[in-house]
């Protein structure tokens, strides 16, 4: 496996450093060759920067990719937005040699060059493709058998697919495969692929952002999902923080929101607190309690063993 | 140089299609949101109607329309172009203004939370590329001026 730089992005480092913690813990556990590198800026956030100045969007992303290209590394990020934005620009420049030449003309003056050689991957497809479910299973200490998990891919983990090439953009499977690999049930439901709607909070439309969160949380509550699992800081903000705000106003859903790295970390044997899960706004205790109860049950095999080899009536 | 564009030929085709409407999360969940109306006005030469309208900002850039589209175009192309025009006229939402200011000044949308990092035992954050970014952005704007002058 090639060395890879981790692109943490602004949201995780500013608001959710505990996500960085659990990500580092799982990367260490698998002894993956990850690097922290100097010089990254905001990816940049498309819904902000590209709406103001397309050129700023392109040159900023191209510069970030150039840093990794130069070192001969690949790039992996636990943020869907970051990967999607960087890959969008990489795709645009690869498809458009004239634009690439213009951008490299500018980058040259600061001593950089975009070649687009680094592969850019989100952490979930990376774990699926490069680490593999088999390796994960070998390292796991506990599984999630009996747990009902609702997955939220996050639009930018899989779209735009021409740039990301991460999974099927309308019928993705890799995150599901990982969750099933961890032994949990991945629930199938109407709003599974619905956009989280966090973007509305970034344009002063908080009530509409809550409307979006409510649609999914209502369905999850009705289905009695044990948790919503995702791997994007914006989606996390939407479902953890905004759910909390709704609960403060008396609307109770009680759906713990768990980051993929936290779930994986639990399976590897870390405890919730060292993974930083006590920093969530929505309490994860109900999830953890049910998990403990299920794990405390004797294994099915115990009864069968007993029946086959224990005392019998045959004399 | 490196400006946003809108392909009107594809938009013309788009106005006759409408296939992605049913998969667009904003179309489904925000009753007043309908890119078809925006597209029609653009093609009628009346895009100005939408510059101060909140609709153009309610596109979530989820790329569902892009993936669905037989032209690989998407409603979002029209919405992004409209947002760019609105921004150039100063009609962007206050939060977008604040975010942009922070971005051009610091190259980031926030600084690493140092006390929390320490508590979690995280390493010192790596150096940011702010200074180099500012140089690059200034260069881009210089080149644009040159292009305009030519
Ligand atoms: S990108 Fe915008 S217009 Fe396209 S489906 Fe998503 S919300 Fe709708
Ligand atoms: S964006 Fe594409 S799929 Fe949607 S209405 Fe236009 S042409 Fe049809």
């Amino acid at each position: 496996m090639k060395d890879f730089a981790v692109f943490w992005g602004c949201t995780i480092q500013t608001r959710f450093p505990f996500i960085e913690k659990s990500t580092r813990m799982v990367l260490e556990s698998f002894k993956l060759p990850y690097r922290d590198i100097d010089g990254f800026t905001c990816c940049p956030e498309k819904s902000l920067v590209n709406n103001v100045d397309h050129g700023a969007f392109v040159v900023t992303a191209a510069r970030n990719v150039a840093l990794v290209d130069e070192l001969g590394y690949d790039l992996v990020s636990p943020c869907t937005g970051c990967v999607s934005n960087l890959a969008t620009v990489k795709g645009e420049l690869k498809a458009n040699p004239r634009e690439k030449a213009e951008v490299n003309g500018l980058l040259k003056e600061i001593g950089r060059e975009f070649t687009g050689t680094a592969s850019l991957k989100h952490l979930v497809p990376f774990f699926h493709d490069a680490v593999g479910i088999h390796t994960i299973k070998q390292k796991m200490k506990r599984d999630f058998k009996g747990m009902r998990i609702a997955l939220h891919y996050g639009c930018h983990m899989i779209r735009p697919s021409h740039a990301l090439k991460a999974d099927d953009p309308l019928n993705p499977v890799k995150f599901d495969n990982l969750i099933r690999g961890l032994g949990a049930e991945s629930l199938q439901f109407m709003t599974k692929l619905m956009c989280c709607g966090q973007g509305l909070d970034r344009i002063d439309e908080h009530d509409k952002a809550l409307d979006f969160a409510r649609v999914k949380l209502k369905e999850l509550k009705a289905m009695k999902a044990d948790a919503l699992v995702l791997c994007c800081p914006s989606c996390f903000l939407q479902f953890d923080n905004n759910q909390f705000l709704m609960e403060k106003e008396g609307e109770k859903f009680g759906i713990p929101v768990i980051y993929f790295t936290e779930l994986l970390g639990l399976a590897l044997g870390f405890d919730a607190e060292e993974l930083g899960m006590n920093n969530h706004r929505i309490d994860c205790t109900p999830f953890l309690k049910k998990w403990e109860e299920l794990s405390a049950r004797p294994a099915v095999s115990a009864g069968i063993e007993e029946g086959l080899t224990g005392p019998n009536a045959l004399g | 140089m490196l400006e946003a564009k809108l392909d009107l030929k594809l938009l013309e085709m788009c106005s006759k299609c409408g296939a992605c409407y049913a998969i667009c999360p904003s179309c489904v969940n925000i009753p007043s949101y309908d890119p078809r109306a925006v597209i029609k006005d653009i093609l009628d030469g009346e895009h100005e109607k939408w510059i101060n309208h909140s609709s153009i900002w309610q596109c979530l850039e989820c790329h569902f329309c892009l993936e669905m589209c037989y032209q690989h175009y998407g409603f979002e192309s029209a919405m992004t172009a409209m947002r760019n025009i609105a921004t150039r006229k100063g009609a962007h939402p206050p939060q977008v203004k604040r975010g942009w200011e922070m971005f051009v000044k610091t190259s980031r949308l926030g600084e690493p939370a140092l006390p929390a990092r320490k508590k979690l035992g995280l390493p010192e954050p790596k150096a940011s590329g702010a200074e180099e970014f500012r140089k690059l952005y200034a260069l881009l704007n210089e080149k644009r001026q040159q292009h305009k002058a030519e």
Side-chain angles (χ1 to χ4, degrees):
Chain A
M1 187 186 293
K2 232 166 128 182
D3 287 9
F4 60 92
V6 182
F7 195 95
W8 299 105
C10 303
T11 314
I12 289 178
Q13 290 209 314
T14 308
R15 302 201 56 162
F16 307 122
F18 55 92
I19 294 177
E20 181 174 332
K21 176 87 190 284
S22 59
T23 305
R24 285 183 189 274
M25 287 165 77
V26 300
L27 292 175
E28 291 284 345
S29 295
F30 288 94
K31 299 195 173 56
L32 296 168
Y34 76 98
R35 300 272 174 264
D36 285 288
I37 72 168
D38 282 325
F40 282 143
T41 62
C42 176
C43 50
E45 168 58 37
K46 184 164 184 262
S47 68
L48 174 74
V49 175
N50 192 48
N51 287 330
V52 178
D53 183 343
H54 179 65
F57 175 65
V58 172
V59 297
T60 308
R63 186 187 154 279
N64 282 325
V65 175
L67 297 178
V68 189
D69 282 346
E70 277 163 26
L71 293 164
Y73 295 164
D74 284 335
L75 179 150
V76 173
S77 178
C79 171
T80 66
C82 292
V83 180
S84 168
N85 295 331
L86 295 168
T88 296
V89 170
K90 178 179 161 183
E92 185 171 322
L93 296 183
K94 286 226 146 180
N96 194 335
R98 222 188 95 190
E99 195 178 316
K100 183 176 159 190
E102 281 179 345
V103 168
N104 269 334
L106 295 168
L107 285 174
K108 197 168 171 219
E109 299 198 36
I110 56 162
R112 308 254 173 230
E113 186 191 4
F114 166 92
T115 55
T117 40
S119 97
L120 314 173
K121 279 214 155 159
H122 181 266
L123 193 76
V124 165
F126 169 78
F127 260 96
H128 185 278
D129 300 343
V131 180
I133 292 169
H134 185 67
T135 307
I136 295 175
K137 281 193 168 170
Q138 284 176 333
K139 277 245 174 251
M140 263 164 67
K141 298 225 165 68
R142 289 174 68 185
D143 67 22
F144 290 97
K145 196 156 177 279
M147 298 303 282
R148 295 162 51 77
I149 285 177
L151 271 187
H152 176 79
Y153 274 81
C155 299
H156 298 139
M157 186 193 294
I158 48 179
R159 291 186 295 275
S161 62
H162 70 276
L164 286 165
K165 300 181 185 80
D167 204 336
D168 188 306
L170 300 175
N171 184 26
V173 295
K174 290 184 184 172
F175 208 171
D176 286 86
N177 291 345
L178 286 169
I179 294 302
R180 290 189 195 114
L182 296 178
E185 178 187 359
S186 175
L187 299 169
Q188 302 305 313
F189 54 105
M190 276 292 286
T191 60
K192 184 174 172 198
L193 292 183
M194 179 181 164
C195 174
C196 72
Q198 219 290 311
L200 293 160
D201 246 338
R202 293 197 287 263
I203 53 155
D204 305 284
E205 300 238 34
H206 183 57
D207 286 348
K208 288 201 176 64
L210 295 186
D211 288 345
F212 267 70
R214 191 176 283 122
V215 173
K216 192 177 295 244
L217 290 169
K218 261 190 184 161
E219 189 179 14
L220 297 186
K221 190 178 175 187
M223 291 172 69
K224 300 197 169 57
D226 293 318
L228 177 62
V229 171
L230 42 72
C231 198
C232 168
S234 292
C235 304
F236 183 82
L237 184 64
Q238 169 74 333
F239 291 113
D240 190 60
N241 199 55
N242 276 348
Q243 183 182 175
F244 174 74
L245 296 179
M246 288 191 279
E247 292 202 345
K248 264 199 347 203
E249 298 291 316
E251 209 176 347
K252 172 104 180 142
F253 299 100
I255 306 288
V257 183
I258 300 180
Y259 221 72
F260 169 64
T261 49
E262 295 169 340
L263 192 76
L264 186 54
L266 290 172
L268 294 171
F270 296 116
D271 72 52
E273 197 153 327
E274 57 181 328
L275 288 161
M277 291 173 72
N278 49 332
N279 292 295
H280 294 204
R281 306 299 286 272
I282 298 294
D283 187 11
C284 294
T285 315
F287 175 88
L288 297 167
K289 224 176 117 201
K290 177 172 170 187
W291 189 40
E292 290 306 330
E293 280 165 17
L294 286 179
S295 311
R297 278 191 209 161
V300 204
S301 55
I304 292 282
E305 289 275 306
E306 169 72 14
L308 288 171
T309 59
N312 65 66
L314 300 174
Chain B
M1 188 185 177
L2 294 171
E3 316 290 0
K5 299 180 203 70
L6 183 64
D7 188 326
L8 288 173
K9 250 194 232 138
L10 297 182
L11 198 67
E12 184 80 49
M13 302 286 282
C14 177
S15 70
K16 299 189 177 85
C17 169
C20 63
Y21 182 82
I23 203 180
C24 164
S26 288
C27 297
V28 174
N29 292 291
I30 304 175
S32 59
Y33 180 83
D34 189 350
R36 296 174 303 184
V38 182
I39 289 164
K40 186 178 175 298
D41 283 330
I42 295 177
L43 291 169
D44 288 345
E46 294 184 350
H47 75 274
E48 304 252 341
K49 277 191 192 167
W50 294 94
I51 284 171
N52 290 303
H53 205 287
S54 57
S55 266
I56 59 173
W57 296 94
Q58 289 166 350
C59 161
L60 298 159
E61 304 187 49
C62 67
H63 311 308
F64 264 122
C65 53
L66 181 73
E67 300 287 354
M68 273 283 287
C69 183
Y70 74 102
Q71 322 190 78
H72 201 67
Y73 188 61
F75 279 163
E76 59 166 305
S77 306
M79 304 309 265
T80 304
M82 285 305 301
R83 287 194 292 267
N84 270 275
I85 296 172
T87 304
R88 294 172 83 100
K89 295 200 190 282
H92 43 324
Q95 221 174 314
V96 175
K97 282 181 193 158
R98 283 197 301 275
W100 170 256
E101 272 161 28
M102 172 161 241
F103 170 71
V104 279
K105 214 159 101 200
T106 68
S107 86
R108 301 184 53 117
L109 298 178
E111 293 305 317
L114 297 178
R117 294 184 72 83
K118 214 164 173 192
K119 228 170 107 193
L120 288 162
L122 287 170
E124 285 279 306
K126 286 284 170 179
S128 99
E131 206 176 307
E132 207 176 283
F133 158 81
R134 276 192 289 267
K135 259 190 230 156
L136 181 64
Y137 191 49
L139 281 166
L140 171 66
N141 285 328
E142 248 170 61
K143 280 266 151 63
R144 281 169 163 165
Q145 292 301 329
Q146 284 171 18
H147 271 254
K148 257 188 218 150
E150 276 161 21

